[in-house]
Amino acid sequence: MQPPSKTQPMMNRRTFLKQSLLAAASLAAASGCKTAAPRPRARILGANETIRVAVVGFGGRGQDHIKGFRALPNVRVTALCDADREILEREVRRFRDRGESVEAYTDIRKLLESAPVDVVSIATPNHWHSLAAIWSVQAGKDVYVEKPGSHNVFEGHQLVEAARKYGAIVQVGTQCRSSAGLREAVAWIRAGNLGRILRVRGLCYKRRDSIGLTQGPQPIPASVDYDLWLGPAPFKPLRRARLHYDWHWFWDTGNGDLGNQGVHQMDIARWILGYQELSPAVLAIGGRLGYVDDAETPNTLIVFHDYKPAPLLFEVRGLPEKAGSNRMDDYRGASIGVVVDCEGGSVVIPSYTRAIVYDRAGKQMRVFDGGGNHYANFIEAVRNRRPELLHSDALEGHLSASLCHTANISYRLGRTGSPEAIRDAIRNLPEVQEMLGRMEEHLAANRVNLQQTPVVLGRLLRMNPRRKTFRGDREANALLTREYRPPFVVPKRV
């Protein structure tokens, strides 16, 4: 599998939405993919018409998808799909106990062939997100896909292309975009009310314990179709004690906490900055520190996206504030959030719905607050066939996820080094020096000796943002995609 064509420019949001609308208007029927009882995509649905939803994957985040869609008027969850029969059967029983009929599938391909649904809502592990969404779009469905919208840069781009080609409504589950408080705050910041933006920093300080260390391949739960569960990922023995959830910490299936929790804050940071392309340079530094276990992804990471004029900084911490504590650090009042520095003051976003504005002296000026319903926003766009109504369409989700992916690529291609060597390597990057200094203090508080367990200095990668390829680095470009396992292949031409 090759990375995206070097001659294919990245579409911007306006072009994507315009072409999606044109495609929707021209499609009087569903795509040529085999599907059951599709509605014509170009037809606007009345407020009293029922939208039928299939939820794929609900061992974790998918439970919220079920709850969210069931709560909306004239929206019904009519199909369920999960590769774990135990999870599937348990949820089917819950539906039937409520007197609700639902069809059950273990294979999304069977669902798309026979289930009479209008929308597919995807909450599988990350490695399935884009392929499941692309197949659904090709089968004539609209899609709500959990964050991150992709497992790598290539497949995220392909999902954007599929949404545009088939006129599909595709929403990515970065639900902060539907927060009324944050929408107002972002507009206020970008209007220049605090002057020029100097930098934006995303924070993912979230406690993550060790997943343990096994001594060899682990048994697959009897209820799981492991071939289907792996899908696009390589068929390898299970090397962790828990199949579910801990897939986040392995490169074949997850993206670490940067692409798990952190993608929300990465998205808010990019939203504030207004950048509609990938950063021209990226550097990541960190490691899996404080314990030894089976996992591969870092639990400590700092990231520098060298946007001009204002950079995007990011920090991941999985260890507590200090050894023996259950509390997490915070940075200027935020642990999982975003901090914006401007000429005239700063904004701290400590939650999904709240933003606090401070003047240059640190005095609180105002507060923005208020939630929103991301599922309702999606359904509104589906009913009206208007992708421009979406708060987080396929393109927005792709760009924010890709900032996580490119940072992870920098880390994966890095090498360990002494604290002195790393400080020397970043001597011309003051923002990275500041993050590194605080990271070293945090690790010392957790009794991590960086001489004995050194951190990884990632490779400084320079990108052509429009082509979404790294400049002169074949090894890095190879990690923009993956070798897909037939028949679970993200197509080069959607």
Side-chain angles (χ1 to χ4, degrees):
M1 181 68 67
Q2 299 297 318
S5 169
K6 293 185 177 181
T7 61
Q8 189 170 17
M10 183 191 74
M11 76 188 83
N12 60 35
R13 177 182 169 89
R14 180 177 297 176
T15 301
F16 166 67
L17 294 177
K18 180 179 178 180
Q19 294 186 3
S20 294
L21 284 169
L22 290 173
S26 67
L27 288 171
S31 74
C33 297
K34 187 177 180 182
T35 185
R39 286 182 170 132
R41 272 214 174 109
R43 186 167 73 86
I44 296 174
L45 299 177
N48 294 325
E49 290 188 76
T50 298
I51 293 178
R52 305 161 296 179
V53 178
V55 178
V56 183
F58 37 85
R61 180 68 187 157
Q63 287 292 321
D64 192 76
H65 289 215
I66 293 171
K67 179 181 177 181
F69 283 115
R70 287 187 66 249
L72 298 178
N74 296 314
V75 176
R76 286 187 55 222
V77 177
T78 58
L80 299 170
C81 180
D82 200 292
D84 187 329
R85 293 188 304 278
E86 182 178 330
I87 292 174
L88 178 63
E89 291 168 3
R90 182 170 64 239
E91 196 60 37
V92 168
R93 285 194 298 270
R94 289 173 180 164
F95 269 73
R96 290 176 179 168
D97 288 347
R98 294 191 297 259
E100 301 173 30
S101 60
V102 67
E103 297 186 15
Y105 302 85
T106 56
D107 190 332
I108 187 174
R109 294 168 296 184
K110 298 296 183 182
L111 181 152
L112 294 174
E113 287 175 3
S114 59
V117 298
D118 310 297
V119 165
V120 177
S121 186
I122 299 160
T124 60
N126 295 1
H127 68 289
W128 256 110
H129 284 183
S130 288
L131 181 59
I134 290 169
W135 279 354
S136 299
V137 165
Q138 290 174 327
K141 318 301 180 185
D142 294 315
V143 169
Y144 184 107
V145 58
E146 193 51 63
K147 54 72 192 170
S150 63
H151 182 254
N152 62 55
V153 175
F154 161 73
E155 63 188 35
H157 176 82
Q158 296 306 93
L159 176 55
V160 174
E161 288 290 306
R164 179 175 68 170
K165 177 177 179 179
Y166 293 99
I169 306 295
V170 178
Q171 175 100 299
V172 177
T174 41
Q175 66 265 27
C176 300
R177 293 271 182 153
S178 287
S179 160
L182 295 196
R183 291 178 67 79
E184 187 179 0
V186 171
W188 187 86
I189 295 166
R190 291 179 61 175
N193 286 288
L194 278 181
R196 183 169 59 92
I197 298 173
L198 304 178
R199 70 189 64 83
V200 179
R201 185 187 313 261
L203 304 164
C204 177
Y205 295 177
K206 192 167 188 174
R207 183 75 177 102
R208 299 294 186 186
D209 287 319
S210 169
I211 67 169
L213 191 63
T214 59
Q215 300 303 313
Q218 301 298 297
I220 306 301
S223 60
V224 174
D225 185 324
Y226 193 51
D227 180 62
L228 280 175
W229 189 93
L230 285 173
F235 199 102
K236 295 179 182 178
L238 181 64
R239 289 301 307 268
R240 60 183 181 275
R242 183 170 62 168
L243 172 68
H244 296 310
Y245 198 80
D246 286 345
W247 53 262
H248 279 294
W249 324 128
F250 294 82
W251 296 121
D252 283 346
T253 51
N255 305 99
D257 234 358
L258 183 61
N260 176 32
Q261 173 61 54
V263 69
H264 288 295
Q265 287 67 50
M266 186 73 79
D267 183 61
I268 295 170
R270 187 185 62 80
W271 183 19
I272 290 167
L273 288 165
Y275 297 131
Q276 286 297 108
E277 58 183 23
L278 302 187
S279 63
V282 59
L283 174 68
I285 301 172
R288 193 159 189 89
L289 304 166
Y291 45 71
V292 177
D293 64 7
D294 287 320
E296 298 171 341
T297 63
N299 66 350
T300 300
L301 196 70
I302 56 175
V303 175
F304 175 63
H305 280 293
D306 192 17
Y307 284 115
K308 306 292 186 186
L312 193 163
L313 314 176
F314 207 93
E315 303 178 23
V316 174
R317 295 185 184 181
L319 298 176
E321 61 173 356
K322 61 183 178 180
S325 174
N326 290 321
R327 295 184 67 252
M328 293 303 294
D329 275 328
D330 70 78
Y331 179 81
R332 291 160 63 178
S335 292
I336 300 175
V338 174
V339 176
V340 188
D341 289 319
C342 302
E343 289 178 315
S346 62
V347 181
V348 176
I349 301 173
S351 73
Y352 286 9
T353 63
R354 186 175 175 85
I356 308 166
V357 181
Y358 299 91
D359 64 16
R360 293 179 64 181
K363 181 181 178 181
Q364 183 173 310
M365 295 171 57
R366 65 178 300 176
V367 176
F368 298 94
D369 205 356
N373 192 320
H374 210 45
Y375 302 112
N377 169 244
F378 168 66
I379 291 298
E380 180 188 12
V382 169
R383 286 197 184 281
N384 290 281
R385 306 313 310 164
R386 292 178 60 192
E388 76 273 16
L389 294 177
L390 292 172
H391 292 159
S392 186
D393 62 43
L395 180 59
E396 296 289 1
H398 165 52
L399 292 173
S400 294
S402 293
L403 293 182
C404 300
H405 300 328
T406 56
N408 277 333
I409 292 171
S410 169
Y411 171 82
R412 294 177 69 181
L413 295 178
R415 296 182 179 181
T416 58
S418 68
E420 296 76 19
I422 292 177
R423 282 195 290 270
D424 182 65
I426 61 170
R427 60 187 180 277
N428 296 321
L429 299 172
E431 292 94 346
V432 183
Q433 290 175 3
E434 184 270 340
M435 286 192 292
L436 179 64
R438 289 188 301 99
M439 184 183 85
E440 289 177 334
E441 292 175 1
H442 173 249
L443 292 172
N446 280 277
R447 301 172 187 164
V448 176
N449 186 322
L450 294 182
Q451 296 292 347
Q452 296 175 357
T453 54
V455 301
V456 173
L457 171 63
R459 185 180 295 179
L460 178 61
L461 300 174
R462 302 191 183 280
M463 172 165 276
N464 182 323
R466 291 190 59 80
R467 295 179 178 176
K468 289 185 286 189
T469 56
F470 296 111
R471 300 180 188 274
D473 196 323
R474 291 185 179 181
E475 195 174 10
N477 282 327
L479 292 176
L480 292 170
T481 184
R482 73 185 311 165
E483 290 293 331
Y484 290 94
R485 189 171 66 90
F488 308 102
V489 179
V490 173
K492 293 181 181 179
R493 302 184 69 179
V494 295

